[in-house]
Amino acid sequence: MKRILTAIAALALVATTAVPAFAGMLDDIRGRNVVRIGVSLGGEPIGFRDDQNNPVGYDVDVANMIAAKLGVPVEFTDVSGDARISMLVSGQLDIVVANTSATLERAKSVNFTIPYNRAGLRVIVQADSGITDLAGLAGKKIVVGRGTTGETFIKNAVPTAELVYVDQFAPDGVLQLQQKRVDAAIEDSSLLDYLATKNPSLVTLAGLYSNDPIGIAVAKGDPEFVRWLDMFVSDYIQSGAYAANYKKWWGETANPPELIALW
C-alpha cells in the first residue's frame, strides 16, 4: 500500500508541475493583454509608415486582424532580415508577419503557418541601363536586403555582381535606386512591381526567379499556437478578406496569387 501511495503522489507531482507547459502562447498573450507582432516597414505596399508615422500596409492589416481575433491590442516592432527570426527565437516577439519566405533553412529555427501570401524574387533595374537579363548584372552594383532570400539567390546566380547591403529596402534601397547609386535591386515581386509603377525611371525584368510561400512565423515549441494561426489564415482566405486586402494595396485589377486554405 505504501508503495502504491508513493507512486500516486509522484504522478500527482508530475501532473502539477506539467500544467504550466500546456498553457501556451495563446494564454500568455491573453494574460498580458497584448500581442507583440514584428512587421517589416521597409517597403510599400507590404509595410511602411504613413504621414502620421503609423505602421500601414498589407502585412500590417493582417497583423491587426490577428490581434482582433485574439481580442487584444497589438504592439508593433519594425523588423527586417535576420532580426525577424532572432527576435522570435529570443522571445522578444510572439508573431512575425513580415513578408518572410517560408524556407526549409528558416524552418530549422522557427515554425511557419500555411501561406497568407505568395511572391517571387524579381529584379528591378534603371530604365536606361540596357540590362535585360541576369547575365547583364555581371559586375553591376545590386542593392539587396541583408539576410534575405534575394541575397542568397544573387550570390549564386551572379557571383561577380557587387552587392550593396541595406537593412531596410525602403527607404534605403529605394533611395539608392532613385539616386542611381546602384544599377539594380533584387527583392520580392510584391515590392518591386509596386515600386516600378511609382517610378518611371525604373523597370522590372521579365519573369520571377522563385515562387515563395510567405508565412506567419512563430517560435518553436507550441504546435497548438501554430494550429490556431493556420485556422486564422484559412479563414482569412475563405472569407474573402485575403482578396480584398490584396486588391486594397495592389489595386482593384490585381490578381491575388492563389492560396489554399487548410481548414
Side-chain angles (χ1 to χ4, degrees):
M1 176 64 72
K2 181 177 180 181
R3 186 176 301 170
I4 293 173
L5 291 174
T6 301
I8 292 172
L11 287 172
L13 178 62
V14 169
T16 302
T17 56
V19 169
F22 292 103
M25 186 60 71
L26 286 170
D27 286 343
D28 288 349
I29 290 169
R30 293 190 186 109
R32 79 172 97 93
N33 196 40
V34 67
V35 58
R36 304 167 303 172
I37 301 182
V39 293
S40 179
L41 304 178
E44 301 179 41
I46 294 293
F48 58 106
R49 293 188 181 275
D50 64 14
D51 294 339
Q52 287 74 47
N53 206 38
N54 298 311
V56 292
Y58 176 85
D59 276 359
V60 176
D61 282 352
V62 173
N64 278 319
M65 291 179 203
I66 293 173
K69 292 293 185 182
L70 288 168
V72 298
V74 59
E75 176 184 292
F76 285 119
T77 299
D78 185 8
V79 295
S80 61
D82 293 336
R84 295 175 293 185
I85 305 303
S86 61
M87 292 185 74
L88 271 179
V89 173
S90 63
Q92 298 175 70
L93 295 172
D94 304 318
I95 302 170
V96 163
V97 187
N99 198 37
T100 310
S101 298
T103 66
L104 285 173
E105 186 60 32
R106 285 174 177 156
K108 294 176 182 177
S109 303
V110 297
N111 284 333
F112 286 99
T113 65
I114 61 174
Y116 72 98
N117 197 5
R118 278 190 172 272
L121 290 175
R122 196 187 291 282
V123 171
I124 194 168
V125 301
Q126 304 293 344
D128 58 1
S129 67
I131 299 171
T132 59
D133 54 23
L134 285 180
L137 295 173
K140 302 295 186 181
K141 289 185 177 181
I142 305 174
V143 64
V144 298
R146 193 184 309 276
T148 62
T149 52
E151 175 193 359
T152 302
F153 172 82
I154 211 70
K155 279 182 175 179
N156 292 326
V158 193
T160 59
E162 181 182 344
L163 301 189
V164 178
Y165 290 98
V166 292
D167 290 320
Q168 291 279 13
F169 184 74
D172 301 332
V174 173
L175 187 62
Q176 296 218 31
L177 281 165
Q178 291 173 334
Q179 294 179 345
K180 295 198 170 185
R181 291 155 59 189
V182 294
D183 303 294
I186 186 165
E187 252 292 351
D188 286 343
S189 57
S190 53
L191 295 175
L192 296 190
D193 289 346
Y194 186 84
L195 179 61
T197 65
K198 302 293 183 180
N199 295 268
S201 64
L202 299 170
V203 296
T204 56
L205 298 188
L208 298 179
Y209 300 108
S210 66
N211 184 2
D212 301 326
I214 309 299
I216 297 168
V218 296
K220 286 188 175 295
D222 194 341
E224 291 300 320
F225 191 40
V226 181
R227 183 172 182 264
W228 185 89
L229 286 168
D230 277 341
M231 294 180 74
F232 164 82
V233 176
S234 294
D235 180 70
Y236 174 63
I237 296 167
Q238 292 174 327
S239 67
Y242 163 58
N245 194 25
Y246 196 93
K247 291 185 177 185
K248 171 184 175 181
W249 293 105
W250 279 275
E252 284 298 319
T253 60
N255 294 311
E258 183 180 359
L259 299 181
I260 300 173
L262 184 63
W263 291 87

